[in-house]
Amino acid sequence: MAEPELTNHGSETPVEPGDPSDNDARETHFHLGAGEVEAIIDALESGRDQEVRQLVAPLHFADAADLVERLSTEQRRELLETASDILDPDFFTELDVTVREEVVEIVGLDAVAEVIAELETDDAIGIVEELDDHDQRQVLDAIPAADRALIEEGLAYPEYSAGRMMQRDVMTVPQFWSVGETIDFMRDIAEQDEWSLPDAFYDIIVVDPRHVPVGTIALSVLLRHKRPTPVRDIMHERMKLIPASMDQEDVAFLFRQRDLVSAPVVRDDGRLVGVITIDDVVDVIDEEAEDDILRLGGVKEDDLYSATLDTTKSRFSWLFLNLLTAILASLVIGMFQGEIEQVVALAVLMPIVASMGGNAGTQTLTVAVRALATKELTANNAMRQIWKELLVGGINGVVFAVVMGVVAWLWFSSPLLGVVIGLAMIANLIVAGLAGATIPIALERAGVDPAVSSSVFLTTVTDVVGFLVFLGLGGWLLM
Amino acid sequence: MAEPELTNHGSETPVEPGDPSDNDARETHFHLGAGEVEAIIDALESGRDQEVRQLVAPLHFADAADLVERLSTEQRRELLETASDILDPDFFTELDVTVREEVVEIVGLDAVAEVIAELETDDAIGIVEELDDHDQRQVLDAIPAADRALIEEGLAYPEYSAGRMMQRDVMTVPQFWSVGETIDFMRDIAEQDEWSLPDAFYDIIVVDPRHVPVGTIALSVLLRHKRPTPVRDIMHERMKLIPASMDQEDVAFLFRQRDLVSAPVVRDDGRLVGVITIDDVVDVIDEEAEDDILRLGGVKEDDLYSATLDTTKSRFSWLFLNLLTAILASLVIGMFQGEIEQVVALAVLMPIVASMGGNAGTQTLTVAVRALATKELTANNAMRQIWKELLVGGINGVVFAVVMGVVAWLWFSSPLLGVVIGLAMIANLIVAGLAGATIPIALERAGVDPAVSSSVFLTTVTDVVGFLVFLGLGGWLLM
């Protein structure tokens, strides 16, 4: 039964199942290897244009985007001048926003318009929305009227809304059709309009005469039923409808919570306007997680590809805010100059209390920010969590008070200094637990993104309390 | 044409398209509102069991899991004793691991075995793998042999591998079949085995006689072709095959990069063993992002639902490590006790330099850790990024040197003190940029997760350099 040609099919697949343990080989199959990029850079820099084109031609659009991202600005320009005509237009959609701006500048708006005309609506909108107003107008004017209308409709929805994420091409059927009619209809469309490209869809939406969705049918369900079965008998009526104005974060939450693969998007009057599919949602999930990680780290946005000066500027404001809190902490220390002059050990040990408070508070804060993002921390359990964090801070405070108390005692041969740092440690870790839990909750209630600003408030609290309690107690007990 | 009954269908849908702007109303429709939880808690605590059962019965399994998570330990026990029989078994799969352990203890292993027998293989494995060895054995012995065999096969694959994520039920057809035969076959199966549940699948896998995949066909493609079309003519041959031993992180990367919805999983000999679908991948993406966020914040795992003492213990080791680096920084300060006694302003200002270095370094580190996770930071652009971060640190260093220099000069009426803090600021921000970029890259190359340990190394560097340069320069220039 073994047909030799089948083996060929098998070995054409991009992953070699034979060597899953060979990490390097596997990597190369999954995405662009460092070696391949080196080869292309080498060909680029030696001006071997034909070789560049040969190397770039077989790349999947996702790999092509990776390649362009990894090049330096000059190399990017050269590559696009040499080979932009052979890149799959979809590579545009996979580019980082900063890199895409650069690419738009290099290839020009006419080329961008050509690319956009070839993309699906949601991808096209994703690119057009990032252009400035003037460029947007110019690109829209250069594409066919039908595409333009769809894109402009999409742009009319608020940024980060379901309306911007959705695909406009939807497979709908009236509820009085049968399974057989539905399948025949799809075959007819496919024949008439050469609609044979893999426009991925997973559900058929059953609509009433006003185009209001009344149910959905997964393709895998449709295929299990006999031709005469009416679609209304097999449709899923308790589907989730997504208002076009819903925030993308809520859309992602819903998809995740309900394990959805696609969902109909409706206007305010209930009529169907599009469909959101899981691949768009995965992008949003990625973005949201990335935003949280970056904001907690004090970075506004992924600036890996930004120019040095842009990165410097964007990071400045966060550092400036932190400078102010650091100066505030210094003012607290300044109140105790007399004490420090007399007991210099206070100056030596004081950063320890503040730093432990900052770290303990950051642990609590991270858990709280994450739990708020996933809607696990709610009004129902907020008080319980705050109380728990207070306890955790208290217990660890006592443990570290003993450890650090003994260290300080031995180091400076002063048991009383050990008592001072121990008490300060307990106080600051309790405060850290309390602040780490309450600050994000309070910010969220106030409508401020807790990932952005929690940590600067937290550090202020733990620094000020840390220095104040330690130096205050030190002045009182040691002098 | 308007049929009144249709309007009913419309209003039965969980989202009211009419009030998308009404945030509270919308929230209630998407997930459990705080009010609903309050009502259930109230009924639970007043012992109104019938009311509890009425409130819980209509909940979607994801909401039921949310409910159980938000209750306190005592409330959880009461709820499960009152209503565990009416909860959809799938609610088990949605529970946080810590909460699930508690639930397993409450309902007992026999009840768990019953639940597992009803779940799909991948979900069942997800629950069984978290049990300890003894409980695992007991649960497996209590379920039907056929289910047990599938679960045990799954457990034989390494943790966090594709083998653990995959679904075992796969729709396969031989390559000599036609579209019509394929559809008829699905209808027959559906009739014979009552296989009418929404076992979601999106692709049909075409296999050779050895059960090696030779192509995939999206259902939406299958439906567009006439019955006599041979499946081998419409199958997608350049599919991605996933080795069963592949790490889940690599699986997620592949799905994201190629916008996949499902992919066949194969053994080492190339034979098909299962399919991974996007919903499992979304969970992995969530987990990975969560892990990165938590680790950067110095937390090992999401401890929102852990008992106070467990949380305290799990956070201890990170704090202890930070205590050591804080003591190291204090040792550096200790070298300059004489200088501090004479110029106490040094003690007042010294935390500023260290803190600015720590914050600037954290910004760089966050971008680098994230870019390593998304494979955007590679051997091709590592040197360019390090150089850029050095420049960013240098430029911001100069700016903050001027700002802080003037502040210090005015505060302590000493221009020379301004010069000292300015120079120290420049030095520490350059070091912070360098360390923030190189530490994660070096850890990644050494095979250590950069998200876990980067920040402790970074703080050590910025603290030590900050104190050393500032106090060293101060001692040299001011005395």
Side-chain angles (χ1 to χ4, degrees), chain B residues 200-234:
Chain B
F201 66 94
Y202 317 104
D203 295 297
I204 286 173
I205 298 166
V206 185
V207 290
D208 75 5
R210 292 170 302 134
H211 218 62
V212 170
V214 293
T216 58
I217 306 176
L219 295 183
S220 60
V221 171
L222 185 78
L223 282 165
R224 281 174 212 168
H225 289 90
K226 298 237 177 270
R227 290 184 57 88
T229 318
V231 294
R232 70 179 311 159
D233 287 1
I234 57 170

Side-chain angles (χ1 to χ4, degrees), chain B residues 254-366:
Chain B
L254 183 64
F255 265 73
R256 257 181 297 192
Q257 214 219 7
R258 293 288 148 100
D259 288 342
L260 301 178
V261 170
S262 79
V265 180
V266 291
R267 292 198 311 205
D268 285 358
D269 61 4
R271 285 177 206 226
L272 183 71
V273 284
V275 160
I276 290 179
T277 50
I278 183 85
D279 51 311
D280 303 313
V281 174
V282 168
D283 293 341
V284 171
I285 294 176
D286 267 352
E287 272 172 44
E288 303 285 348
E290 170 143 329
D291 282 355
D292 276 355
I293 292 178
L294 295 175
R295 285 172 193 163
L296 279 171
V299 191
K300 260 185 246 161
E301 51 182 11
D302 184 1
D303 56 17
L304 191 72
Y305 303 114
S306 302
T308 304
L309 221 55
D310 292 336
T311 300
T312 309
K313 271 191 239 161
S314 91
R315 295 197 190 162
F316 177 85
S317 48
W318 176 252
L319 290 177
F320 189 75
L321 205 60
N322 275 286
L323 181 66
L324 295 184
T325 81
I327 291 176
L328 190 67
S330 286
L331 285 173
V332 173
I333 301 171
M335 291 159 50
F336 298 94
Q337 294 187 43
E339 286 81 348
I340 291 173
E341 265 171 334
Q342 287 187 38
V343 190
V344 73
L346 289 176
V348 175
L349 295 176
M350 69 183 181
I352 294 178
V353 178
S355 148
M356 289 298 282
N359 281 307
T362 301
Q363 289 182 322
T364 305
L365 183 117
T366 307

